[in-house]
């Protein structure tokens, strides 16, 4: 049982890391399509961050013991708020650095 929970914990960490990388890429990647060339924008990054954060909330708060509902423990709430700060901070920091 503990091995299964550890696997779920690793999967949740991977989802959080992928969300952060996706927001970074959306905020910075240059898109070349014919004549139109645009850089990633802070607005696109913030929209991506919001969508990614909803995914992270769903993944972090989902229960891994088969019971319906969410698990609102202290560490889950801290992780969700921390991911909000990280995901929203990426486009904002990139904007300030430009």
């Amino acid at each position: 049982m503990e091995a299964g929970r550890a696997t779920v914990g690793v999967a949740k960490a991977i989802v959080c890391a992928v969300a952060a990388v996706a927001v970074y890429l959306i905020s910075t990647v240059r898109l070349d399509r014919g004549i139109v060339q645009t850089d990633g924008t802070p607005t696109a990054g913030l929209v991506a961050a919001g969508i990614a954060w909803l995914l992270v909330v769903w993944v972090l708060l989902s229960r891994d013991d088969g019971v319906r509902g969410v698990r609102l423990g202290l560490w889950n709430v801290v992780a969700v708020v921390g991911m909000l700060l990280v995901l929203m901070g990426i486009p904002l920091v990139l904007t300030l650095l430009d």
Side-chain angles (χ1 to χ4, degrees), residues 31 50 70:
L31 301 173
V70 297

Side-chain angles (χ1 to χ4, degrees), residues 1 4-5 8-10 14 16-17 26 28 31 33 39 41 44-45 49 56 59 61 65 67 73 76 81 85-86 90:
M1 186 68 151
R5 286 188 183 195
V8 171
V10 169
I14 289 171
C16 292
I26 289 170
T28 60
L31 301 173
R33 292 188 179 170
D39 289 328
T41 63
V56 166
V59 167
L61 295 183
D65 56 3
V67 178
N76 283 343
V81 171
L85 295 174
V86 167
I90 290 171

Side-chain angles (χ1 to χ4, degrees), residues 4-6 9 17 24 33 35 37-39 44 46 52 54-55 71 76 79 82 92-93:
R5 286 188 183 195
Y24 174 77
R33 292 188 179 170
I35 299 173
Q37 294 182 345
T38 59
D39 289 328
L46 288 173
L54 290 175
L55 172 69
R71 176 174 287 158
N76 283 343
L92 296 175
V93 167

Side-chain angles (χ1 to χ4, degrees), residues 39-98:
D39 289 328
T41 63
T43 303
L46 288 173
V47 169
I51 293 169
W53 186 70
L54 290 175
L55 172 69
V56 166
V57 167
W58 177 63
V59 167
L60 288 179
L61 295 183
S62 63
R63 295 183 68 107
D64 56 355
D65 56 3
V67 178
R68 295 184 78 182
V70 297
R71 176 174 287 158
L72 287 177
L74 175 64
W75 291 113
N76 283 343
V77 172
V78 168
V80 166
V81 171
M83 284 305 296
L84 174 67
L85 295 174
V86 167
L87 292 174
M88 293 296 181
I90 290 171
L92 296 175
V93 167
L94 290 172
T95 301
L96 293 175
L97 293 177
D98 284 342

